[in-house]
Structures are given as structure tokens and as C-alpha cells.
Amino acid sequence: MRIILGVSAGIAAYKAAILLRLLREAGHAVRVVPTESSYAFVGRATWEALSGEPATHEVFDAVPEVAHVRLGQGADLVIVAPATADVLAKAATGRADDLLTTTLLTVRCPVLVAPAMHTEMWLHAATQANVATLRARGVHVLEPATGRLTGADSGPGRLPEPQEIAAAALALVNGRADDAGVPRGDFSGRRVVVSAGGTLEPLDPVRFLGNRSTGRQGIAIAEAAAARGAAVTLVAANVHLEVPAGIDVVRVETAAELDAAMTALAPETDVVVMAAAVADFRPVRTADSKIKKAPGGAAPLIELVENPDVLAGLAAQRRAGQVVVGFAAETGDEHASVVDHGRAKARRKGADLMAINDVSAGRGFGSPDNAVVVVNQEGAVVAEATGSKREVADAILDAVVPLLDAPDARAATADA
């Protein structure tokens, strides 16, 4: 495969040298296109020695070859790592003042961008708008890692590790067949959206109604789907865990925000997985200032209103051939067992599959392991899994695959 590796001027440019070696050792031809300022961190000689190809930032080098057009036309994959705020801005606005930015205007292959910058720059509204613009155009922009930056600073903005970038980049072409014509994953060419975490409903600027979900299971499902070739978007509700590279992330807080995000993403998606724990109720009013204790110790009266049923809404609006998977975090009681409560929820919500897990005494929340029973709309058990959350994730996706291949049969079963 022919890969272009764009390198911009960030301290993390040294990691791009490791990424280059990983790609070369995997058998790919790599042409490095650095920005002029990036030479302050890693010089041209390093790029040429590691790649075995010329490295230049100049549009007017190799003029007879029309390099600024030919490079893009001949590429199978483009990676920009690290991508500074400046390069993101240029790419988003269509600037073309060096070889890298002109190349980005000519490519028609998958493009992966790995931002790296200080936290304040990453979180700035201009940078976030540029990232949104690029993603809307089909550019795959990774979420930066959170950790140590330059000096004593720490926060989101750290370049993901080279191994993660390489895996994410190569996953973008997983939809293509290998040399033998065999698909590289059973979710290749599919789009998957997964919700994860727990929604928070604010009572006042300090307090909220929430739940114990960390998002670990949803992240595991997103990671498993990406590894199996899918293009994955994770809708993360108050998730503080690191999300693997190669997965687009939409961050939300409340049930209403999660509902809006999932509803917007679902129409273009093949599989919808609702793994987030959504608050059933929210306060009718959110106080503008912190609620104070009343004289005499009287507790405040908090009036609640029901939140939208996100899963039921997605199931009701799903398009033909789309698979909707729900989660039922249940506890048994005198009326029914955990699985029976889950079966009732599967029928009520209308999802194609329901993953039922016992959360008695806090089990499942935040732990590395999980146990689920997966049932279909009729309540029949189609899968059971116990183990790491990644193992559980793969078991759930295994149950999805037959529905992707036979959507008409699924619909007929549901009608019966």
C-alpha cells in the first residue's frame, strides 16, 4: 500500500518516526511530507533514511512530476501525525501553501489525522470547529490522548502512541479486500454507532442526578467493532476513560443531548448499540444557583419529568436493514428474574437484540468483567457471555452478524 505520512511542527513529531518504521515493517511504501517548521523537531535526513524516499515540504521540488498533484493521486492512505492546530485550520479552510496542504486537496483515499497540541489549543472553539468541518467532509480525526504534554502540563492533547495510530489508519482500509479478495473483517464497510457512559441531569450548578456507569462496556463494543472493520462513532456520556484511537467521539452530558446525537447519527448507520445508562427522569427545573439548606432542615422538593426513551425511539425509527441493540441493566425482584425483566424490556422497546446484565450490588459498573444474556425481540436467548468486557463485546457483535446478512428474515420473524 502507498501511504503518505504528513508531519507538522509539534514536539510529538519524534513519534512519527516510530510510526513510519511500523508502517514500513508492515510492508507499506511510505512517503513523508513534512511541513517546513517540523524540521525544527525532526530533520529531513531522518525521514529519508527511514522511508527510503525523498522528503520535502516544497511544492516546487520535482516540478516536472507535478508532485503536489501526483502524490495525492497515487496514495492509498494519508496519515497526518502529529497534526497541529495550524495544519487543522489550513486543511479545514482549503489552504494550499506547502506540499502537505496541496496534497490534502488532491487525495481521494482515506485520510487519518492525529491532532497533538496543548489542551487549551485543542479545546479552543476554533480548533473544535475545524475538526467538525473535517469530519463532516469524511476526514477521520482521532481524539487526542490525555496525559503528560510538554513541560509540567497534562491534559487532552497528547498524540496517541504510534502503534494505536497505525492500527487506526490501517482499519480505515479494512473495507477493501486483501490480495486474495477476502474481506478483512465481518464488519468491513459497516457503520456502527455506540452510546456509552451515564447521563447526568443537573439539579443546580453543583449537583446532578446520575448513575454508576463508566462507559467501559460501550467503549469495548466500539473497540471490537472497529477491530472487525467498522467505521465507529462513540457517543460518550460523561466518559472519563481513554477511547482507543480510530474511533470518532461525540461527547454529551444529558439524556436529551444523547437522544439528539443518536437520532442524528442513526440514519446513516448499519448498527446502533445503546450501551449508555440513560437517566429515566430529569428535574423539571434546574436552579440557576446552588440550592441552599432551608431553615429548620426541611428538604427541598424536587419535581421530576420523564426523559425521552432513546432506545425505543431509535428502534421505532430504524431504517430497513438496520440492527438496533439495547442494554438492560436489571436486578431481580419478587416479581421476576433479571432475565425475565430483560425479556419484557426487549418486547417493550422493540430493539432487535437486548443484552441483559445483572447489576445487583453494583456488579458490572466500572469492573473489567461482565456477564450478559442476549435475547431477541421474542425473548429467545441467542447468546450468553461471561468474561472481560471486550469478550462480551465480541459475543454481542457475533449475535449481530446474522441479522446484518438477513434483515428481511429478521423483519419477518418480528412480524410473526
Side-chain angles (χ1 to χ4, degrees):
M1 186 162 56
R2 186 76 179 166
I3 300 174
I4 293 174
L5 175 58
V7 181
S8 58
I11 188 64
Y14 76 93
K15 289 186 177 181
I18 303 171
L19 173 61
L20 170 56
R21 171 155 285 178
L22 290 172
L23 296 171
R24 290 276 290 157
E25 289 176 349
H28 305 293
V30 184
R31 173 77 178 264
V32 180
V33 182
T35 64
E36 183 177 12
S37 298
S38 73
Y39 295 141
F41 299 95
V42 180
R44 178 183 299 181
T46 298
W47 301 128
E48 293 184 344
L50 291 176
S51 69
E53 299 197 22
T56 180
H57 69 282
E58 287 283 1
V59 174
F60 296 106
D61 285 352
V63 171
E65 298 176 11
V66 198
H68 69 288
V69 175
R70 294 288 181 264
L71 284 176
Q73 290 177 334
D76 299 302
L77 174 67
V78 174
I79 307 169
V80 183
T84 60
D86 181 55
V87 165
L88 291 174
K90 288 179 178 179
T93 55
R95 288 278 301 278
D97 57 2
D98 63 6
L99 187 57
L100 176 57
T101 51
T102 54
T103 299
L104 288 173
L105 286 179
T106 62
V107 296
R108 296 295 181 268
C109 62
V111 177
L112 178 89
V113 175
M117 63 200 73
H118 267 72
T119 300
E120 294 83 358
M121 299 174 73
W122 170 249
L123 296 178
H124 195 282
T127 302
Q128 292 299 304
N130 290 332
V131 169
T133 297
L134 291 171
R135 285 174 171 163
R137 294 175 185 161
V139 176
H140 201 81
V141 183
L142 299 181
E143 285 285 307
T146 298
R148 182 74 176 271
L149 305 173
T150 54
D153 293 340
S154 183
R158 179 182 174 92
L159 186 73
E161 292 306 309
Q163 294 83 353
E164 295 177 3
I165 298 173
L170 298 178
L172 289 182
V173 293
N174 269 352
R176 301 179 182 180
D178 61 17
D179 293 340
V182 179
R184 293 174 177 164
D186 54 5
F187 276 75
S188 292
R190 307 286 190 179
R191 300 191 63 85
V192 177
V193 60
V194 183
S195 70
T199 61
L200 303 181
E201 309 298 332
L203 294 167
D204 61 24
V206 178
R207 305 177 181 89
F208 57 82
L209 298 176
N211 57 69
R212 298 177 184 274
S213 178
T214 63
R216 193 181 299 275
Q217 182 65 77
I219 291 174
I221 294 170
E223 182 180 25
R228 294 166 74 152
V232 183
T233 300
L234 181 75
V235 178
N238 307 290
V239 172
H240 303 294
L241 300 172
E242 186 172 343
V243 178
I247 296 170
D248 288 331
V249 180
V250 177
R251 298 194 179 275
V252 299
E253 180 175 292
T254 66
E257 291 171 353
L258 186 142
D259 186 28
M262 295 295 289
T263 301
L265 290 165
E268 304 302 322
T269 301
D270 299 295
V271 181
V272 177
V273 182
M274 270 295 299
V278 183
D280 292 326
F281 303 96
R282 68 181 185 275
V284 172
R285 289 171 295 278
T286 301
D288 294 328
S289 58
K290 181 180 176 182
I291 300 171
K292 305 295 184 181
K293 291 182 179 179
L301 180 63
I302 299 172
E303 186 179 358
L304 301 178
V305 63
E306 191 170 346
N307 271 322
D309 191 324
V310 183
L311 175 58
L314 293 170
Q317 298 170 23
R318 68 174 173 268
R319 59 176 174 77
Q322 186 181 65
V323 179
V324 177
V325 182
F327 265 73
E330 294 290 346
T331 59
D333 55 29
E334 67 275 14
H335 302 293
S337 67
V338 168
V339 174
D340 287 337
H341 279 305
R343 285 190 171 108
K345 183 174 287 188
R347 290 190 291 269
R348 188 168 67 250
K349 304 284 188 178
D352 299 293
L353 298 173
M354 187 70 72
I356 307 165
N357 59 316
D358 186 347
V359 294
S360 302
R363 283 182 291 184
F365 289 126
S367 70
D369 300 320
N370 203 359
V372 300
V373 175
V374 183
V375 300
N376 60 20
Q377 278 190 28
E378 293 71 48
V381 174
V382 296
E384 295 185 62
T386 301
S388 71
K389 289 188 173 177
R390 176 57 188 271
E391 291 172 324
V392 168
D394 275 311
I396 293 170
L397 295 180
D398 288 344
V400 169
V401 171
L403 303 187
L404 286 172
D405 294 336
D408 292 336
R410 183 190 75 239
T413 301
D415 291 341

mmCIF file of all heavy atoms in Angstrom, residues 53-85:
data_model
loop_
_atom_site.group_PDB
_atom_site.id
_atom_site.type_symbol
_atom_site.label_atom_id
_atom_site.label_comp_id
_atom_site.label_asym_id
_atom_site.label_seq_id
_atom_site.Cartn_x
_atom_site.Cartn_y
_atom_site.Cartn_z
ATOM 1 N N GLU A 53 12.782 7.196 0.732
ATOM 2 C CA GLU A 53 12.237 8.064 -0.303
ATOM 3 C C GLU A 53 12.564 9.512 0.029
ATOM 4 O O GLU A 53 12.815 9.858 1.190
ATOM 5 C CB GLU A 53 10.725 7.881 -0.414
ATOM 6 C CG GLU A 53 10.300 6.470 -0.782
ATOM 7 C CD GLU A 53 8.866 6.418 -1.273
ATOM 8 O OE1 GLU A 53 8.348 7.473 -1.722
ATOM 9 O OE2 GLU A 53 8.270 5.332 -1.222
ATOM 10 N N PRO A 54 12.525 10.396 -0.971
ATOM 11 C CA PRO A 54 12.784 11.808 -0.691
ATOM 12 C C PRO A 54 11.704 12.406 0.199
ATOM 13 O O PRO A 54 10.548 11.971 0.163
ATOM 14 C CB PRO A 54 12.787 12.457 -2.083
ATOM 15 C CG PRO A 54 12.008 11.506 -2.939
ATOM 16 C CD PRO A 54 12.278 10.146 -2.391
ATOM 17 N N ALA A 55 12.094 13.383 0.989
ATOM 18 C CA ALA A 55 11.148 14.086 1.855
ATOM 19 C C ALA A 55 11.343 15.581 1.644
ATOM 20 O O ALA A 55 12.460 16.091 1.771
ATOM 21 C CB ALA A 55 11.381 13.726 3.320
ATOM 22 N N THR A 56 10.270 16.268 1.310
ATOM 23 C CA THR A 56 10.360 17.706 1.082
ATOM 24 C C THR A 56 9.032 18.360 1.407
ATOM 25 O O THR A 56 7.977 17.727 1.339
ATOM 26 C CB THR A 56 10.741 18.020 -0.372
ATOM 27 O OG1 THR A 56 10.821 19.437 -0.553
ATOM 28 C CG2 THR A 56 9.710 17.456 -1.344
ATOM 29 N N HIS A 57 9.112 19.641 1.748
ATOM 30 C CA HIS A 57 7.906 20.430 2.003
ATOM 31 C C HIS A 57 7.598 21.345 0.835
ATOM 32 O O HIS A 57 6.553 21.992 0.790
ATOM 33 C CB HIS A 57 8.086 21.290 3.260
ATOM 34 C CG HIS A 57 9.089 22.388 3.091
ATOM 35 N ND1 HIS A 57 10.447 22.156 3.145
ATOM 36 C CD2 HIS A 57 8.948 23.710 2.835
ATOM 37 C CE1 HIS A 57 11.092 23.291 2.954
ATOM 38 N NE2 HIS A 57 10.216 24.247 2.761
ATOM 39 N N GLU A 58 8.502 21.405 -0.150
ATOM 40 C CA GLU A 58 8.419 22.384 -1.230
ATOM 41 C C GLU A 58 7.528 21.906 -2.376
ATOM 42 O O GLU A 58 7.698 20.797 -2.890
ATOM 43 C CB GLU A 58 9.814 22.673 -1.786
ATOM 44 C CG GLU A 58 10.680 23.517 -0.862
ATOM 45 C CD GLU A 58 10.306 24.982 -0.909
ATOM 46 O OE1 GLU A 58 9.349 25.336 -1.643
ATOM 47 O OE2 GLU A 58 10.962 25.774 -0.214
ATOM 48 N N VAL A 59 6.617 22.771 -2.790
ATOM 49 C CA VAL A 59 5.794 22.487 -3.957
ATOM 50 C C VAL A 59 6.636 22.504 -5.228
ATOM 51 O O VAL A 59 6.355 21.761 -6.181
ATOM 52 C CB VAL A 59 4.648 23.511 -4.064
ATOM 53 C CG1 VAL A 59 3.862 23.321 -5.367
ATOM 54 C CG2 VAL A 59 3.710 23.396 -2.873
ATOM 55 N N PHE A 60 7.703 23.314 -5.228
ATOM 56 C CA PHE A 60 8.479 23.498 -6.453
ATOM 57 C C PHE A 60 9.661 22.549 -6.577
ATOM 58 O O PHE A 60 10.480 22.689 -7.484
ATOM 59 C CB PHE A 60 8.935 24.954 -6.552
ATOM 60 C CG PHE A 60 7.789 25.904 -6.689
ATOM 61 C CD1 PHE A 60 7.402 26.689 -5.627
ATOM 62 C CD2 PHE A 60 7.078 25.972 -7.882
ATOM 63 C CE1 PHE A 60 6.328 27.552 -5.741
ATOM 64 C CE2 PHE A 60 5.998 26.841 -8.007
ATOM 65 C CZ PHE A 60 5.611 27.630 -6.935
ATOM 66 N N ASP A 61 9.781 21.575 -5.680
ATOM 67 C CA ASP A 61 10.715 20.482 -5.903
ATOM 68 C C ASP A 61 10.068 19.486 -6.862
ATOM 69 O O ASP A 61 8.859 19.234 -6.797
ATOM 70 C CB ASP A 61 11.050 19.776 -4.586
ATOM 71 C CG ASP A 61 11.988 20.595 -3.722
ATOM 72 O OD1 ASP A 61 12.493 21.629 -4.214
ATOM 73 O OD2 ASP A 61 12.209 20.223 -2.555
ATOM 74 N N ALA A 62 10.858 18.892 -7.743
ATOM 75 C CA ALA A 62 10.364 17.910 -8.718
ATOM 76 C C ALA A 62 9.186 18.456 -9.511
ATOM 77 O O ALA A 62 8.142 17.813 -9.659
ATOM 78 C CB ALA A 62 9.951 16.621 -8.004
ATOM 79 N N VAL A 63 9.377 19.674 -10.045
ATOM 80 C CA VAL A 63 8.301 20.327 -10.794
ATOM 81 C C VAL A 63 7.814 19.492 -11.980
ATOM 82 O O VAL A 63 6.597 19.388 -12.207
ATOM 83 C CB VAL A 63 8.754 21.732 -11.264
ATOM 84 C CG1 VAL A 63 7.730 22.318 -12.234
ATOM 85 C CG2 VAL A 63 8.914 22.648 -10.062
ATOM 86 N N PRO A 64 8.708 18.852 -12.761
ATOM 87 C CA PRO A 64 8.198 18.065 -13.903
ATOM 88 C C PRO A 64 7.243 16.949 -13.502
ATOM 89 O O PRO A 64 6.397 16.533 -14.298
ATOM 90 C CB PRO A 64 9.480 17.496 -14.534
ATOM 91 C CG PRO A 64 10.558 18.437 -14.121
ATOM 92 C CD PRO A 64 10.183 18.874 -12.737
ATOM 93 N N GLU A 65 7.356 16.481 -12.254
ATOM 94 C CA GLU A 65 6.473 15.409 -11.798
ATOM 95 C C GLU A 65 5.133 15.944 -11.291
ATOM 96 O O GLU A 65 4.223 15.169 -10.998
ATOM 97 C CB GLU A 65 7.152 14.625 -10.666
ATOM 98 C CG GLU A 65 8.451 13.945 -11.077
ATOM 99 C CD GLU A 65 9.122 13.282 -9.891
ATOM 100 O OE1 GLU A 65 8.477 13.182 -8.823
ATOM 101 O OE2 GLU A 65 10.283 12.863 -10.021
ATOM 102 N N VAL A 66 5.018 17.255 -11.163
ATOM 103 C CA VAL A 66 3.830 17.887 -10.583
ATOM 104 C C VAL A 66 3.498 17.181 -9.265
ATOM 105 O O VAL A 66 2.397 16.656 -9.070
ATOM 106 C CB VAL A 66 2.623 17.849 -11.546
ATOM 107 C CG1 VAL A 66 1.564 18.870 -11.131
ATOM 108 C CG2 VAL A 66 3.056 18.105 -12.976
ATOM 109 N N ALA A 67 4.475 17.186 -8.356
ATOM 110 C CA ALA A 67 4.382 16.368 -7.136
ATOM 111 C C ALA A 67 3.170 16.701 -6.293
ATOM 112 O O ALA A 67 2.565 15.818 -5.674
ATOM 113 C CB ALA A 67 5.657 16.535 -6.306
ATOM 114 N N HIS A 68 2.770 17.975 -6.272
ATOM 115 C CA HIS A 68 1.657 18.354 -5.388
ATOM 116 C C HIS A 68 0.333 17.740 -5.826
ATOM 117 O O HIS A 68 -0.626 17.702 -5.062
ATOM 118 C CB HIS A 68 1.541 19.876 -5.291
ATOM 119 C CG HIS A 68 1.085 20.543 -6.553
ATOM 120 N ND1 HIS A 68 1.886 20.660 -7.669
ATOM 121 C CD2 HIS A 68 -0.092 21.132 -6.880
ATOM 122 C CE1 HIS A 68 1.223 21.295 -8.616
ATOM 123 N NE2 HIS A 68 0.017 21.593 -8.165
ATOM 124 N N VAL A 69 0.296 17.263 -7.088
ATOM 125 C CA VAL A 69 -0.895 16.553 -7.565
ATOM 126 C C VAL A 69 -0.656 15.044 -7.584
ATOM 127 O O VAL A 69 -1.495 14.266 -7.140
ATOM 128 C CB VAL A 69 -1.278 17.042 -8.974
ATOM 129 C CG1 VAL A 69 -2.440 16.209 -9.530
ATOM 130 C CG2 VAL A 69 -1.649 18.513 -8.941
ATOM 131 N N ARG A 70 0.498 14.632 -8.069
ATOM 132 C CA ARG A 70 0.781 13.218 -8.250
ATOM 133 C C ARG A 70 0.795 12.456 -6.921
ATOM 134 O O ARG A 70 0.357 11.305 -6.859
ATOM 135 C CB ARG A 70 2.117 13.031 -8.963
ATOM 136 C CG ARG A 70 2.124 13.533 -10.384
ATOM 137 C CD ARG A 70 1.302 12.619 -11.296
ATOM 138 N NE ARG A 70 1.346 13.135 -12.663
ATOM 139 C CZ ARG A 70 0.409 13.916 -13.194
ATOM 140 N NH1 ARG A 70 -0.664 14.251 -12.476
ATOM 141 N NH2 ARG A 70 0.507 14.347 -14.430
ATOM 142 N N LEU A 71 1.334 13.071 -5.887
ATOM 143 C CA LEU A 71 1.395 12.373 -4.597
ATOM 144 C C LEU A 71 0.003 11.978 -4.133
ATOM 145 O O LEU A 71 -0.234 10.845 -3.720
ATOM 146 C CB LEU A 71 2.075 13.248 -3.545
ATOM 147 C CG LEU A 71 3.588 13.379 -3.630
ATOM 148 C CD1 LEU A 71 4.097 14.359 -2.583
ATOM 149 C CD2 LEU A 71 4.254 12.024 -3.430
ATOM 150 N N GLY A 72 -0.914 12.913 -4.178
ATOM 151 C CA GLY A 72 -2.273 12.631 -3.737
ATOM 152 C C GLY A 72 -2.985 11.635 -4.617
ATOM 153 O O GLY A 72 -3.721 10.758 -4.143
ATOM 154 N N GLN A 73 -2.759 11.735 -5.926
ATOM 155 C CA GLN A 73 -3.437 10.831 -6.857
ATOM 156 C C GLN A 73 -2.980 9.385 -6.697
ATOM 157 O O GLN A 73 -3.742 8.459 -6.954
ATOM 158 C CB GLN A 73 -3.179 11.292 -8.295
ATOM 159 C CG GLN A 73 -3.894 12.584 -8.655
ATOM 160 C CD GLN A 73 -3.562 13.045 -10.073
ATOM 161 O OE1 GLN A 73 -2.496 12.710 -10.602
ATOM 162 N NE2 GLN A 73 -4.461 13.802 -10.671
ATOM 163 N N GLY A 74 -1.728 9.202 -6.260
ATOM 164 C CA GLY A 74 -1.206 7.844 -6.157
ATOM 165 C C GLY A 74 -1.285 7.230 -4.782
ATOM 166 O O GLY A 74 -0.839 6.100 -4.577
ATOM 167 N N ALA A 75 -1.890 7.925 -3.822
ATOM 168 C CA ALA A 75 -1.907 7.445 -2.442
ATOM 169 C C ALA A 75 -3.088 6.524 -2.176
ATOM 170 O O ALA A 75 -4.195 6.732 -2.680
ATOM 171 C CB ALA A 75 -1.941 8.616 -1.473
ATOM 172 N N ASP A 76 -2.852 5.490 -1.361
ATOM 173 C CA ASP A 76 -3.923 4.622 -0.871
ATOM 174 C C ASP A 76 -4.412 5.052 0.505
ATOM 175 O O ASP A 76 -5.519 4.699 0.919
ATOM 176 C CB ASP A 76 -3.423 3.177 -0.782
ATOM 177 C CG ASP A 76 -2.988 2.641 -2.127
ATOM 178 O OD1 ASP A 76 -3.824 2.624 -3.057
ATOM 179 O OD2 ASP A 76 -1.812 2.250 -2.264
ATOM 180 N N LEU A 77 -3.572 5.802 1.219
ATOM 181 C CA LEU A 77 -3.892 6.213 2.581
ATOM 182 C C LEU A 77 -3.017 7.413 2.930
ATOM 183 O O LEU A 77 -1.851 7.452 2.564
ATOM 184 C CB LEU A 77 -3.617 5.062 3.565
ATOM 185 C CG LEU A 77 -3.767 5.332 5.066
ATOM 186 C CD1 LEU A 77 -5.224 5.599 5.422
ATOM 187 C CD2 LEU A 77 -3.233 4.138 5.875
ATOM 188 N N VAL A 78 -3.605 8.386 3.627
ATOM 189 C CA VAL A 78 -2.856 9.541 4.120
ATOM 190 C C VAL A 78 -3.004 9.614 5.631
ATOM 191 O O VAL A 78 -4.113 9.497 6.162
ATOM 192 C CB VAL A 78 -3.346 10.858 3.487
ATOM 193 C CG1 VAL A 78 -2.637 12.058 4.126
ATOM 194 C CG2 VAL A 78 -3.095 10.853 1.988
ATOM 195 N N ILE A 79 -1.875 9.776 6.304
ATOM 196 C CA ILE A 79 -1.855 9.970 7.753
ATOM 197 C C ILE A 79 -1.159 11.296 8.025
ATOM 198 O O ILE A 79 -0.091 11.559 7.475
ATOM 199 C CB ILE A 79 -1.086 8.846 8.476
ATOM 200 C CG1 ILE A 79 -1.601 7.468 8.079
ATOM 201 C CG2 ILE A 79 -1.143 9.032 9.991
ATOM 202 C CD1 ILE A 79 -0.724 6.312 8.547
ATOM 203 N N VAL A 80 -1.754 12.123 8.863
ATOM 204 C CA VAL A 80 -1.090 13.341 9.320
ATOM 205 C C VAL A 80 -0.897 13.212 10.822
ATOM 206 O O VAL A 80 -1.865 13.210 11.587
ATOM 207 C CB VAL A 80 -1.889 14.607 8.990
ATOM 208 C CG1 VAL A 80 -1.108 15.856 9.426
ATOM 209 C CG2 VAL A 80 -2.203 14.680 7.501
ATOM 210 N N ALA A 81 0.362 13.049 11.251
ATOM 211 C CA ALA A 81 0.658 12.819 12.672
ATOM 212 C C ALA A 81 2.078 13.301 12.978
ATOM 213 O O ALA A 81 3.025 12.790 12.395
ATOM 214 C CB ALA A 81 0.519 11.334 13.008
ATOM 215 N N PRO A 82 2.213 14.265 13.868
ATOM 216 C CA PRO A 82 1.143 14.989 14.548
ATOM 217 C C PRO A 82 0.522 16.043 13.637
ATOM 218 O O PRO A 82 1.173 16.545 12.732
ATOM 219 C CB PRO A 82 1.868 15.658 15.715
ATOM 220 C CG PRO A 82 3.252 15.887 15.204
ATOM 221 C CD PRO A 82 3.555 14.703 14.321
ATOM 222 N N ALA A 83 -0.730 16.377 13.909
ATOM 223 C CA ALA A 83 -1.418 17.454 13.218
ATOM 224 C C ALA A 83 -1.596 18.599 14.206
ATOM 225 O O ALA A 83 -2.299 18.452 15.204
ATOM 226 C CB ALA A 83 -2.772 16.988 12.697
ATOM 227 N N THR A 84 -0.948 19.715 13.954
ATOM 228 C CA THR A 84 -1.051 20.871 14.840
ATOM 229 C C THR A 84 -2.356 21.617 14.582
ATOM 230 O O THR A 84 -3.054 21.376 13.581
ATOM 231 C CB THR A 84 0.118 21.827 14.611
ATOM 232 O OG1 THR A 84 0.081 22.272 13.243
ATOM 233 C CG2 THR A 84 1.452 21.137 14.898
ATOM 234 N N ALA A 85 -2.667 22.559 15.463
ATOM 235 C CA ALA A 85 -3.851 23.400 15.268
ATOM 236 C C ALA A 85 -3.752 24.166 13.957
ATOM 237 O O ALA A 85 -4.757 24.375 13.268
ATOM 238 C CB ALA A 85 -3.999 24.364 16.450
#
